[in-house]
Amino acid sequence: MSSASLHQRPLHNPLTDPNPLSPPSSQTSQKSTSFLQSRTTLLLLLSLLVIVGVFYPYIQFPQNGFLSYTSKPSPFESKWRDYSLSKAAAFVAKNNSLIVCIVSEAYLPFLNNWLISIVRQKHHDKVLVIAEDYATLFKVNERWPGHAVIIPPVLESQAAHKFGSQGFFNFTSRRPRHLLQILELGYNVMYNDVDMVWLGDPFPYLEGKHDIYFMDDMAAVKPLNHSHGLPPPGKKGRPYICSCMIYARPTNGAKLIMKKWIEEMQIQPWSRAKKSNDQPAFNWALNKTVEQVDMYLLPQSGFPTGGLYFRNKTWVKETKGMHVIIHNNYIVGFEKKTKRFRDYGLWLVDDFSSESPLGRLD
């Protein structure tokens, strides 16, 4: 056999093909199927575009990047979404003063407990709840219209943040901005954490016309006649004032502290290695402005930290009748705080929820 015959392509004989028309018929069928599939795909895409166009106004794009569908806001929800801080402050303020707390949904039971104690001192009418999520905004205003406001940007609704977590930092870092906005509107403002309970009226203790008033966070016992100036710095180079209870007047000095507080938080952001919160930044702000601002340290006997009130029975007995606001700190965790309040007869929502303007929250 020659080399030419080895590489010669065999000739196709149509007479030997039992199905001479099969290939053309198969190709025609494939083309028809492909055309139908393309047409179906096109129709599906057009349908999807129509659906997106209809529902786009109700699709939210959270910061985490995931889509979430929400129904169209009701007239009730729209009203409170549009409720501004200036309107809320004007509605709630009494004698140009506000009592403010900042709350997410997980802390509503503590909000209710705190409110009951304030009702007993007849100061609840000037309470403004700054809601950090829509669930809190709607629930409070449904039961107590006008006493809750939300300040954009809105945080995602989530469970209680653990102390030291990034979520806790994000939550508390908004505090000085909120307070500065209120001061800029011209109001006196008292800020409280909601894990506090009022046993007395704090306003008589706001002596003089100082720019800002605060309480010590140290558990060491002070003399009853201790100084009301900013305590000296501790081992970390700053004092240990609690950012949980602040009263500020709309003065340049108080505004300077809020601005400095914001700056200090930007200098020391949260990281996994350095799990910061807003309180060290507040203390640095106080320390750096002490020569420019008129500050007043509230009496320890009236405004003790939790590390003193809940751990020093002797001191509590010696100062009985002097306690004004108790802070449930020096303990971490929602359940642990609740239990300690119960143990000391300070968890009021179990038996006295009817005294709260919010009623019983289930």
Side-chain angles (χ1 to χ4, degrees), residues 175-331:
R175 188 180 325 188
R177 296 183 186 277
H178 295 338
L179 296 180
L180 179 59
Q181 284 181 273
I182 293 170
L183 293 174
E184 294 285 9
L185 289 171
Y187 296 98
N188 303 308
V189 58
M190 177 181 285
Y191 170 80
N192 277 190
D193 280 356
V194 291
D195 59 344
M196 305 184 98
V197 168
W198 289 25
L199 300 182
D201 184 349
F203 285 92
Y205 294 84
L206 305 175
E207 299 178 358
K209 294 290 182 181
H210 306 284
D211 294 320
I212 190 166
Y213 302 71
F214 40 70
M215 57 184 278
D216 203 336
D217 205 22
M218 295 295 287
V221 175
K222 297 178 181 291
L224 290 178
N225 62 344
H226 66 75
S227 167
H228 294 290
L230 183 69
K235 294 179 181 180
K236 296 184 179 181
R238 53 174 170 75
Y240 293 90
I241 298 302
C242 192
S243 58
C244 56
M245 189 317 196
I246 299 168
Y247 181 80
R249 303 186 191 279
T251 62
N252 290 333
K255 294 173 189 177
L256 175 63
I257 287 178
M258 298 305 157
K259 292 172 184 176
K260 194 65 180 175
W261 188 359
I262 294 167
E263 287 178 14
E264 290 296 325
M265 295 195 73
Q266 292 170 342
I267 294 171
Q268 303 178 51
W270 187 92
S271 66
R272 291 188 180 278
K274 195 174 183 179
K275 298 177 179 180
S276 57
N277 59 77
D278 72 313
Q279 188 159 300
F282 178 58
N283 279 274
W284 283 117
L286 293 173
N287 204 45
K288 292 179 180 181
T289 60
V290 67
E291 299 298 329
Q292 303 163 267
V293 181
D294 186 357
M295 306 178 184
Y296 187 88
L297 177 66
L298 292 163
Q300 185 186 55
S301 57
F303 303 84
T305 184
L308 178 57
Y309 184 84
F310 293 107
R311 297 182 181 180
N312 192 328
K313 293 181 179 179
T314 301
W315 179 87
V316 171
K317 186 176 180 179
E318 291 174 349
T319 56
K320 186 177 180 179
M322 300 181 187
H323 312 137
V324 182
I325 294 183
I326 306 302
H327 188 203
N328 195 358
N329 64 342
Y330 275 71
I331 191 171

